[in-house]
Every structure is written in C-alpha cells, then in structure tokens.
Amino acid sequence: EAVHDIFVELYPNASWNPLRKAFKDFDDLFRGRTPGYLGCDTLYHDIQHTLDMTLAMARLIKGYELTHAASEQLGPGRAMLGIITCLFHDSGYIRHSADEGHFNGAEFTRSHVTRSALFLEKYLAGIGLGPAAPVTRQIVHFTGYEVDFSQIRIEHPKDLALGHLVGTADLMGQMADRCYLEKCRD
C-alpha cells in the first residue's frame, strides 16, 4: 500500500493495475503458488527482503522525480518497470519444479541474477510489457555481480538511472535490515 500511495501521488493519471498484478504474482511466486515453481526457500532473499527493497525503490523514485525537471524525470512507465524489476530481482533463487538435483534456491547464488533476468523477460511478455524486457534484462544486473557494470548495455540515460536506483534500493534494503548479518550467517 505504501508503494501504491507513492505511485499514485507521483503519477495520478497512470494505471495502477499492472503493479497490483505484479505484487500479486510476486506473492504467488514466492509462496509457491505459481505453477512450475517451488516457492522461496532461501533464508535471506525472501519476501521480506524483496518488499523492503521495493519500498526503498519507490522512495528513491519519488526523490528522483521530485528533484529533476519534468524532461529528465523517469515517468510512470519507467517507474513501473523499476518496481516490477525490484519485485522479481531475486526470482532466480526460486527453483523450478524441474530443477532436480538442487536442494534449495541458495544453490543458484552465482547465477540467480541471470535467472531473474530470464524470468523477468517471460513475465513482462505475459503481462503485455514485452518490449521493455531487453532493458529490464540489463537493469536487473545492477543487483548482482555476475555482469561487470561496464558490460551492462543500456542506451538511454533514464534507463541507466533506473538501473542505478534498482541497485541502490537492493543494497539499502539489505543494509537497513537489522537482522541482515544473522540471516546471511544462517
């Protein structure tokens, strides 16, 4: 609801429906209610972390929009894409039901961002945002270390800013969690 309030305040004429669907789909995926997926079984990259990060992203977007001229603002489409990217940035930790030989999602730590990018590509196509998939596949890499920043290919400066905001939101979500060190240890 806090993300909703920020989005509506910033973009009163934009549709909230794609984001509402994304929040529901995220919840279904992480709780194991999405066909073909087993749900989240990692101790840290879970629902709470993702919601913390997504709220941080909404607040970063608000700050960005309020401090930039109208011509430099992200706008509702990019903002929505940023929120959706945040919701599914750790979807690569979710095991597919066909992931035999993997005992938990943490085994995908070294490849989870690429797996998240592939998930996002299919997900965006399924909700009518397929043209945004190539940018999103790049932006999500700001949350990991699989691809060096110099290798992330983004053409538009606003998309680059969005990628930096996504990466910053992920770090803020982690560092602000008072249980972060214990969760990582466990």
Side-chain angles (χ1 to χ4, degrees):
E1 291 305 314
V3 173
H4 168 268
D5 293 347
I6 291 169
F7 190 83
V8 169
E9 179 185 343
L10 287 173
Y11 315 110
N13 299 320
S15 172
W16 169 251
N17 292 335
L19 286 180
R20 188 169 303 285
K21 178 172 177 31
F23 271 94
K24 182 193 178 312
D25 293 343
F26 152 76
D27 193 60
D28 286 346
L29 177 68
F30 274 66
R31 293 189 192 280
R33 296 187 301 246
T34 301
Y37 293 90
L38 300 176
C40 181
D41 60 8
T42 57
L43 293 176
Y44 183 73
H45 297 281
D46 57 4
I47 289 173
Q48 187 61 53
H49 160 67
T50 303
L51 291 176
D52 289 346
M53 180 222 184
T54 303
L55 178 58
M57 180 63 172
R59 290 174 174 165
L60 286 170
I61 289 170
K62 181 177 181 178
Y64 187 93
E65 298 294 71
L66 293 176
T67 59
H68 286 79
S71 63
E72 297 174 9
Q73 291 177 353
L74 300 172
R78 277 193 178 88
M80 184 183 326
L81 191 63
I83 296 295
I84 292 171
T85 302
C86 288
L87 286 171
F88 296 104
H89 82 285
D90 278 338
S91 60
Y93 281 115
I94 307 293
R95 291 181 295 147
H96 304 147
S97 50
D99 281 330
E100 296 179 15
H102 296 283
F103 298 106
N104 61 53
E107 293 182 41
F108 298 111
T109 296
R110 293 180 187 221
S111 63
H112 83 279
V113 179
T114 297
R115 287 170 51 99
S116 297
L118 294 171
F119 178 89
L120 274 160
E121 182 176 42
K122 287 172 35 180
Y123 180 75
L124 290 172
I127 63 168
L129 297 175
V135 170
T136 306
R137 282 188 65 170
Q138 296 296 310
I139 287 172
V140 74
H141 280 286
F142 281 90
T143 68
Y145 48 83
E146 293 172 39
V147 176
D148 188 83
F149 279 1
S150 66
Q151 300 300 311
I152 298 174
R153 300 289 175 232
I154 296 178
E155 299 292 323
H156 200 286
K158 290 181 183 182
D159 294 331
L160 183 62
L162 189 65
H164 286 291
L165 291 173
V166 168
T168 300
D170 190 25
L171 289 175
M172 286 174 60
Q174 289 177 37
M175 297 301 108
D177 183 348
R178 66 180 191 81
C179 299
Y180 177 67
L181 293 176
E182 291 84 354
K183 288 178 178 178
C184 288
R185 178 198 66 215
D186 296 340

